Amino acid sequence: MSEEHTVDTPMRDTEPGAPTQAPPPAPRRRGPGPVVFLVLPGLLTLSAVAGVLALTGGLPGDLAPGDGTQQDAVAGVNDTYGPWLRKAADACTVVTPSVLAAQIDQLTGWNNATAGASGGQGIAAFTDAQWRTWGKDDDGNGTSSPGDPADAIMALGRQDCSLARKVTDLRTDGTVNGDLVDLTLAAYAVGTDTVKKEGRVPADARTYLTEVKALFAKYAAFDREDPSGGAAGAQANAILAPPTTTLTVTSPYGSRKHPLTGVTKLHTGVDFGAPQGAQVSAARAGTVVFAAMTKAYGNRVVIDHGTIEGKRLQTTYSHLSAIEVKAGQTVQTGSPVGRVGSTGLSTGPHLHFEVIYDGYYADPMPWLTASG
């Protein structure tokens, strides 16, 4: 982003001199004195610099983070941090620049000299142990340091994205429930194992979560993420085969009140009505990454179909009465994966079918080809 910078150069009209005296009656013409030789070049230089700044809009923009005092239009953040926030967030879709910026604000208020509560260093308050895991020389200045804002921002992005992938997998297999950003921040605050044990955002993480989320709006201008989760391009052509013989929708994708729990939340897939024991088939060739019983989804199968337009595509098959594949098994489009059932939190036989694209749930219907 471009910023205009102005430099105010206060100048005196007169130099302080000796006490006022009456002028001599016949002053002689003299050449320039030593003050002129010393001061005039400086004044000319300042004038030239001011002119250049007025024409170019400010100082050069290639300073490393922390080297200058430029401020971004976004919440007064140093303008060299913005590109690093965006680059760090590119590592995954769950973490956005505003999430990283809000975390840093909550941790240190962007003060590179402030130690975090854990004794960490730099704007992201990394401990020595954390830095050994996540720190790199990302700006290529020859030093990897938590005190280097560029390195710190990139390291925080790597750490958050690693946590995001873990909680995404936990939510995919039904171990945890909740918003992926909330779960990621909770894992940052109290650890992935604690989130897994609780099955949701733990109470111990709620204060941190509230403080960080309150800052999201402050940094929203940093975000450049496609609100669709990047799925729009891949959905332009239906690429998944029907997982059941008929696609009779008994509960569509979207917000709904759960028939058993009474909780209104996102229904992350589509429910297809089908008789008990009806065949369920793979919607696309891929590798089975999960096939087991879960508390909420009952018997559940997850198939990884590799990447589509550079982003991972998975489909899930839940509430099965029987599982007919194993984790690690390769399947083809139409291969049997299980039988329709009503295991887990279910009111009757049906297939709960989900599409997960780049870590986000998507409406499965645009992905499906017409039923044969």
Side-chain angles (χ1 to χ4, degrees):
M1 59 185 69
S2 62
E3 290 293 326
E4 292 188 0
H5 302 275
T6 59
V7 176
D8 295 325
T9 308
M11 298 177 62
R12 294 181 181 272
D13 292 330
T14 59
E15 293 283 337
T20 304
Q21 299 180 4
R28 294 185 300 170
R29 184 181 298 274
R30 297 189 302 176
V35 173
V36 175
F37 282 117
L38 292 174
V39 175
L40 185 58
L43 293 176
L44 291 174
T45 300
L46 286 174
S47 299
V49 171
V52 171
L53 291 176
L55 290 173
T56 62
L59 296 170
D62 58 353
L63 295 176
D67 288 346
T69 58
Q70 301 123 297
Q71 297 295 304
D72 198 288
V74 181
V77 176
N78 186 297
D79 66 358
T80 58
Y81 295 172
W84 290 110
L85 289 165
R86 295 187 179 95
K87 184 176 181 180
D90 280 345
C92 60
T93 56
V94 174
V95 178
T96 63
S98 63
V99 170
L100 295 173
Q103 282 183 277
I104 292 172
D105 192 335
Q106 191 276 341
L107 285 166
T108 66
W110 296 95
N111 189 338
N112 205 32
T114 301
S118 62
Q121 305 171 54
I123 59 173
F126 275 100
T127 65
D128 289 342
Q130 291 172 328
W131 192 253
R132 283 193 292 270
T133 301
W134 306 111
K136 293 182 180 180
D137 178 18
D138 287 286
D139 58 6
N141 66 359
T143 303
S144 169
S145 170
D148 183 327
D151 292 351
I153 290 169
M154 292 297 293
L156 182 61
R158 278 190 290 274
Q159 182 180 21
D160 279 0
C161 283
S162 175
L163 294 171
R165 284 188 286 271
K166 291 177 181 178
V167 297
T168 297
D169 289 341
L170 290 173
R171 195 179 75 169
T172 297
D173 65 26
T175 303
V176 302
N177 287 299
D179 178 82
L180 284 175
V181 174
D182 289 357
L183 292 168
T184 298
L185 290 173
Y188 176 90
V190 299
T192 308
D193 289 342
T194 302
V195 173
K196 181 178 179 180
K197 181 179 179 181
E198 293 291 325
R200 59 179 64 83
V201 173
D204 290 348
R206 293 198 179 278
T207 298
Y208 173 76
L209 201 64
T210 299
E211 292 177 353
V212 174
K213 292 180 71 173
L215 297 167
F216 283 178
K218 182 178 179 181
Y219 299 104
F222 278 134
D223 292 342
R224 61 179 182 185
E225 183 178 282
D226 178 2
S228 69
Q235 290 184 13
N237 297 306
I239 58 174
L240 300 179
T244 56
T245 304
T246 59
L247 299 180
T248 303
V249 177
T250 57
S251 185
Y253 174 88
S255 181
R256 72 162 189 180
K257 184 177 181 180
H258 195 281
L260 292 179
T261 65
V263 175
T264 299
K265 60 185 294 187
L266 175 67
H267 184 227
T268 55
V270 171
D271 290 347
F272 294 122
Q276 178 81 10
Q279 185 67 65
V280 175
S281 305
R284 186 178 174 88
T287 302
V288 177
V289 294
F290 183 85
M293 171 64 78
T294 69
K295 182 177 179 180
Y297 291 113
N299 285 320
R300 180 172 171 87
V301 172
V302 181
I303 301 176
D304 190 325
H305 304 288
T307 58
I308 305 295
E309 296 183 355
K311 298 176 180 178
R312 185 173 65 169
L313 175 66
Q314 294 180 320
T315 54
T316 77
Y317 314 76
S318 297
H319 305 302
L320 303 174
S321 61
I323 295 175
E324 298 178 336
V325 290
K326 296 180 179 180
Q329 179 179 337
T330 299
V331 295
Q332 301 302 317
T333 303
S335 296
V337 298
R339 299 283 174 171
V340 170
S342 187
T343 54
L345 295 179
S346 171
T347 58
H350 72 284
L351 171 67
H352 176 73
F353 177 72
E354 297 169 333
V355 170
I356 304 173
Y357 185 59
D358 201 29
Y360 284 91
Y361 289 110
D363 184 353
M365 297 309 291
W367 293 79
L368 292 168
T369 59
S371 173

